């Protein structure tokens, strides 16, 4: 089994670029449907790092990785990365300033390569019992995330896929289908309610006559793109439980499919997005359901299924995030006090690409 590396700026717009390529009439391709599922707030090492035991070629972990409780104290307690992760509560820090400390150990972002030394320290600033420091310095052994264990073994895992913004959920989710957060470096409710105005892949698909559909559960976060609120797109939104399996079974999934999970716990329907403190067991059940639905569809032989995460959620990852040569997508500068110029990426996140056209255990990029 091998792993492939994807260029940093292509990370969150990979599906967009691939879609446009595969639907180019000059380029013959068997792929006619791309399904995108973006899970929540877990790093690569936390979810897939121990998959290195299955395949040494994966840039994962072996337990020698560590962070000090204090990066400035040479005698500080060390936390070695372990495989004891299970239910995580409370939620680790993943604001812009928290991630800056996790990556660099301080507010000084000049180090190159990024040292990735401040995860335990930043967690300790939130919880001085060191319980959170232990949580962020732990990952799941493969048998605790068995659906990913099977998919990594059978398909392609990308081990250089970085969050687009070193910040929280919504700036990164805005990047997924538009290649920019519109300057957002945090979750600001009033701006999300107003809707971000940038052009997205959905308008491009519509202009090209390519079908798309959004299958949502609690809330379609794609509605944070203002343009998707237009009346002409109402029919593109489908309630997942009512429509996804039915459309897949009938071979009627559109060319570009976005599957959105349950972001909130409801009575009898626990959240399945992987965001702490939600149980990753529910996320594994959900991913398995989507995969098996696609596998049973008559469209399977024309399908590419991309599973990725919006951002790392404060969990440790040992691979230095790119901090040089990252171009701004649109020249917009983020708000004060950070005035971020989008010249570095976030922390590495898990990404698995699934298709019958991918040879067992290999990636194509």
């Amino acid at each position: 089994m091998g792993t492939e590396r994807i260029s940093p700026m292509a990370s969150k717009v990979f599906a967009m670029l691939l879609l446009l390529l595969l639907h180019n009439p000059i380029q013959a391709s068997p792929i006619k449907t791309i399904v995108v599922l973006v899970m929540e707030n877990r790093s690569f090492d936390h979810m897939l790092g121990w998959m290195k035991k299955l395949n040494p070629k994966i840039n994962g972990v072996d337990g020698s990785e560590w962070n000090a409780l204090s990066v400035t104290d040479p005698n500080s307690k060390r936390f070695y990365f372990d495989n004891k992760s299970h239910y995580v509560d409370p939620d680790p820090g993943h604001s812009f300033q928290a991630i800056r400390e996790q990556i660099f150990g301080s507010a000084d972002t000049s180090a190159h390569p990024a040292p990735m030394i401040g995860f335990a320290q930043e967690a300790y600033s939130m919880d001085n019992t060191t319980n959170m420091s232990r949580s962020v310095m732990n990952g799941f052994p493969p048998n605790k995330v068995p659906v990913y264990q099977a998919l990594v073994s059978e398909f392609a895992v990308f081990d250089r896929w970085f969050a687009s913004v070193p910040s929280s959920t919504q700036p990164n989710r805005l990047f997924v289908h538009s290649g920019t957060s519109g300057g957002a470096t945090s979750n600001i409710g009033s701006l999300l309610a107003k809707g971000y105005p940038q052009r997205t892949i959905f308008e491009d698909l519509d202009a090209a006559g390519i079908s798309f559909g959004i299958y949502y559960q609690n809330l379609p976060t794609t509605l944070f793109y203002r343009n998707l609120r237009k009346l002409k797109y109402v029919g593109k939104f489908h309630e997942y439980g009512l429509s996804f399996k039915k459309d897949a079974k009938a071979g009627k999934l559109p060319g570009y499919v976005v599957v959105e999970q349950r972001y909130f716990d409801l009575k009898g329907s626990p959240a399945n997005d992987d965001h702490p403190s939600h149980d990753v067991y529910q996320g594994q059940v959900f991913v398995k359901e989507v995969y098996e639905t696609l596998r049973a569809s008559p469209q399977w032989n024309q399908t590419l299924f991309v599973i990725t995460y919006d951002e790392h959620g404060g969990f440790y990852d040992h691979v230095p995030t790119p901090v040089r040569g990252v171009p701004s997508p649109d020249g917009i500068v983020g708000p004060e006090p950070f005035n971020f110029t989008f010249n570095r990426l976030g922390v590495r996140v898990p990404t698995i690409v699934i298709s019958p056209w991918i040879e067992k255990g290999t990636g194509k990029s």
Side-chain angles (χ1 to χ4, degrees):
M1 175 180 173
T3 60
E4 297 293 331
R5 287 168 167 76
I6 190 165
S7 62
M9 280 311 295
S11 63
K12 284 301 187 183
V13 293
F14 172 74
M16 182 188 300
L17 297 176
L18 188 58
L19 179 69
L20 296 176
L21 172 64
L22 295 182
H23 283 275
N24 186 335
I26 299 174
Q27 298 281 346
S29 169
I31 301 299
K32 305 301 179 187
T33 295
I34 293 177
V35 181
V36 179
L37 171 59
V38 184
M39 300 293 279
E40 290 267 318
N41 291 49
R42 306 278 178 161
S43 73
F44 186 98
D45 280 346
H46 178 65
M47 296 298 288
L48 302 183
W50 289 104
M51 299 288 176
K52 186 174 182 177
K53 289 184 175 181
L54 305 179
N55 174 16
K57 293 181 180 179
I58 292 176
N59 191 351
V61 294
D62 59 18
S64 64
E65 303 81 9
W66 58 273
N67 264 195
L69 198 60
S70 171
V71 301
T72 59
D73 180 1
N75 299 314
S76 176
K77 177 180 175 61
R78 291 184 177 186
F79 290 83
Y80 284 86
F81 197 74
D82 208 345
N83 63 355
K84 303 297 192 299
S85 198
H86 48 93
Y87 183 77
V88 176
D89 186 30
D91 187 17
H94 47 278
S95 64
F96 182 90
Q97 57 269 44
I99 295 170
R100 183 179 59 187
E101 182 176 351
Q102 290 160 9
I103 293 172
F104 297 100
S106 72
D108 181 358
T109 61
S110 62
H112 182 248
M116 314 304 284
I117 57 175
F119 291 84
Q121 173 181 276
E122 195 281 327
Y124 186 67
S125 72
M126 297 180 64
D127 171 19
N128 64 9
T129 69
T130 72
N131 288 337
M132 186 178 289
S133 295
R134 290 189 180 92
S135 289
V136 301
M137 294 302 295
N138 260 285
F140 289 92
N143 66 342
K144 296 298 184 182
V145 281
V147 176
Y148 286 168
Q149 180 181 19
L151 294 176
V152 165
S153 297
E154 293 296 323
F155 299 104
V157 57
F158 283 74
D159 62 5
R160 285 196 57 85
W161 193 300
F162 298 89
S164 296
V165 192
S167 187
S168 49
T169 288
Q170 295 307 332
N172 279 288
R173 282 192 168 268
L174 287 168
F175 255 93
V176 173
H177 305 294
S178 69
T180 177
S181 69
T185 56
S186 63
N187 303 334
I188 301 176
S190 60
L191 295 179
L192 293 168
K194 183 179 180 181
Y196 281 79
Q198 65 261 37
R199 186 176 178 87
T200 71
I201 189 174
F202 303 107
E203 290 98 307
D204 291 335
L205 291 167
D206 190 48
I210 299 168
S211 60
F212 70 87
I214 296 156
Y215 294 80
Y216 68 94
Q217 295 181 68
N218 288 152
L219 167 74
T221 61
T222 40
L223 284 177
F224 292 142
Y225 300 117
R226 189 186 307 167
N227 290 336
L228 276 187
R229 302 174 186 179
K230 293 178 179 177
L231 185 61
K232 69 175 182 177
Y233 293 137
V234 168
K236 303 297 186 180
F237 289 86
H238 314 281
E239 203 282 317
Y240 173 86
L242 297 176
S243 302
F244 185 67
K245 288 184 179 180
K246 176 174 64 69
D247 290 352
K249 185 177 181 179
K252 294 183 178 180
L253 289 174
Y256 191 74
V257 175
V258 177
V259 178
E260 296 211 46
Q261 54 277 80
R262 288 190 299 270
Y263 301 106
F264 313 109
D265 285 320
L266 300 177
K267 187 176 181 180
S269 299
N272 55 14
D273 60 349
D274 278 356
H275 192 303
S277 57
H278 302 153
D279 193 343
V280 297
Y281 170 80
Q282 298 296 336
Q284 291 289 282
V285 171
F286 176 55
V287 170
K288 183 174 186 287
E289 178 180 276
V290 174
Y291 167 70
E292 290 185 344
T293 298
L294 295 173
R295 186 75 183 247
S297 171
Q299 293 173 264
W300 171 243
N301 284 334
Q302 299 178 332
T303 297
L304 181 77
F305 179 26
V306 180
I307 304 167
T308 188
Y309 282 69
D310 54 2
E311 45 107 347
H312 78 297
F315 295 98
Y316 174 79
D317 195 86
H318 77 281
V319 173
T321 184
V323 295
R324 296 287 188 274
V326 177
S328 169
D330 47 23
I332 297 176
V333 177
E336 295 182 348
F338 306 114
N339 299 309
F340 184 55
T341 58
F342 297 87
N343 59 348
R344 52 188 173 86
L345 299 181
V347 176
R348 190 176 62 147
V349 293
T351 301
I352 303 170
V353 179
I354 299 156
S355 173
W357 294 96
I358 295 176
E359 296 179 10
K360 182 175 181 177
T362 63
K364 305 290 184 183
S365 64

